[in-house]
Amino acid sequence: MRDGSLAPTELVEALIERSRRLEPSLRCVITLAADAAVGAARVAESEIARGAWTGPLHGIPIGIKDSIATAGLRTTANSRVLADWVPEEDAPSVATLRQAGAIVLAKLNLNEFAWSIPSEDDLHPPPRNPWSPSHYSMGSSSGSAVAVASGLCPAALGTDAGGSIRQPAANCGVVGLKPTHGLVDSSGALGPPTICEVGPITRSVEDAALMLGALAGGRQSYVESLRKSPGRVRLGIPRGHFELARSEAQISAAFAQALDVMRQLGVEVVDVEIEGLADAAAANFVVLNAEAFAAHEEMLRTRGADYGPSARVYHMQGAFLSAADYIVALKVGAAVRNRVDRAFSAVDALATPVVPVLTAEAARSARAQPHTGGTAIFTAPFNLTGHPALALPCGMSAEGIPIGLQLIGRAGGEADLLRLAYSYEQATPWHGLRPPIDAPAEPGHER
């Protein structure tokens, strides 16, 4: 765009065509804002012609999870409760990206209100994994991950209250970042405020750094710090927590190989013991349930029939929790946060798999998991503690479904976390792979 070889309208129009062609198979788009995006691209073009750059994302089309409010553009949360809601104002995260020059191209699919098990009977049926269209995509920000992995948009926003950015990113072979609690304003995103973050899903660590810089209001250039030497890094593995999760064999093998790459990069890999991480995962969902019920109680009473069966049950669970349950869960979070902070006195980052299972179907039927925290055992603890966590691809299963690595950093330590992730990414081939979907076959049998 800077040298004139690509115009914003060319890019937007190409992505609109691509979305219309692939959407019937992928099902990741709820609303395609074609006319508005083309109009914004024309404005961006005229600004570029006179040298008036508005920010680091000038002319770049992005997708937005459909639980994040967009002014003048329908925001449904994939629920019949909000099927016709058109917000008057952008959520702060969207407003910040627009100020950085981004163009909102599409509102992207999700689990209803980001807290339910998706169903073919939903307002919009669940997205398919572009790497294996017979499988659903994992996690509530599934539409955002599918859209980015499939090349429908260069980047997207998701929300994460227990792993809902990181899990779909890992499942689709892209990068997903949950920022430090409070770094990015998550209001206007219909999430539980104590534990939910708005963050980027991108095809590369560099793009995640670019998006985070914009989301954080330009207070820091995360991109500039990427290519600085990370120096001597100690990477901690919470070994007992990893073993408790009993990950599928291919997940464990990919994680072990990722640690070998880290060692080859000069990273010192050491075991650490952090007591209570699984308890924090379970406590995170106590907070989620309590805050979700508080937000939905009135609508559940007046419009309960408009919720899907799963979303109705999920959002009513908090009715059976006491104030004491909620307070104890927050205390668990504070205790584990202190333990994680103490671990960071000895190591620079932590590493785990992203999820202990390969497929969305396994994740959504994992009631027999032999531990607390379920399939969010690796991701949910860090929602409750508030530490930044990033998922990036680290392997491919025999079934052709991507596998992700999670890196966790100090509170406010996104620059160091992104730098370590970038070093790993550049040493591995995974970020360069693309799903074979340009001539997609019809999805196979339902799973």
Side-chain angles (χ1 to χ4, degrees), residues 246-268:
R246 300 188 189 179
S247 301
E248 292 182 15
Q250 292 188 76
I251 303 283
S252 296
F255 182 60
Q257 290 168 4
L259 296 184
D260 285 342
V261 172
M262 289 290 191
R263 294 184 183 98
Q264 292 165 16
L265 291 170
V267 173
E268 183 182 359

Side-chain angles (χ1 to χ4, degrees), residues 36-273:
V38 170
R42 288 175 179 150
V43 171
E45 245 173 73
S46 67
E47 292 168 339
I48 291 170
R50 62 177 190 270
W53 290 84
T54 60
L57 300 176
H58 194 111
I60 303 298
I62 60 170
I64 308 291
K65 185 175 180 177
D66 203 34
S67 59
I68 304 174
T70 43
L73 184 59
R74 192 173 63 131
T75 300
T76 71
N78 196 15
S79 176
R80 291 174 176 85
V81 175
L82 297 181
D84 300 314
W85 182 43
V86 179
E88 295 182 359
E89 295 182 351
D90 283 328
S93 55
V94 176
T96 302
L97 291 182
R98 289 197 206 262
Q99 290 166 7
I103 295 169
V104 175
L105 177 66
K107 299 301 293 293
L108 301 173
N109 205 348
L110 68 155
N111 299 8
E112 184 173 355
F113 281 115
W115 186 224
S116 67
I117 296 178
S119 162
E120 290 292 319
D121 296 326
D122 289 345
L123 181 65
H124 296 275
R128 298 286 183 173
N129 190 319
W131 292 92
S132 179
S134 63
H135 288 90
Y136 292 128
S137 175
M138 187 182 293
S140 87
S141 300
S142 53
S144 296
V146 170
V148 171
S150 305
L152 303 193
C153 53
L157 285 188
T159 66
D160 191 317
S164 294
I165 286 173
R166 291 159 287 165
Q167 291 191 10
N171 191 231
C172 292
V174 292
V175 176
L177 173 64
K178 180 197 79 68
T180 300
H181 185 65
L183 177 63
V184 176
D185 191 333
S186 63
S187 60
L190 305 181
T194 303
I195 56 173
C196 186
E197 313 301 336
V198 172
I201 295 177
T202 62
R203 285 187 217 137
S204 70
V205 173
E206 184 172 6
D207 285 353
L210 184 68
M211 286 283 286
L212 181 64
L215 285 165
R219 294 191 294 269
Q220 181 173 351
S221 176
Y222 295 99
V223 174
E224 287 183 4
S225 67
L226 286 183
R227 292 170 182 82
K228 296 177 181 177
S229 171
R232 184 169 179 79
V233 175
R234 299 189 87 217
L235 183 62
I237 313 302
R239 186 65 59 183
H241 187 64
F242 169 74
E243 293 173 353
L244 177 67
R246 300 188 189 179
S247 301
E248 292 182 15
Q250 292 188 76
I251 303 283
S252 296
F255 182 60
Q257 290 168 4
L259 296 184
D260 285 342
V261 172
M262 289 290 191
R263 294 184 183 98
Q264 292 165 16
L265 291 170
V267 173
E268 183 182 359
V269 179
V270 298
D271 287 353
V272 296
E273 195 60 46

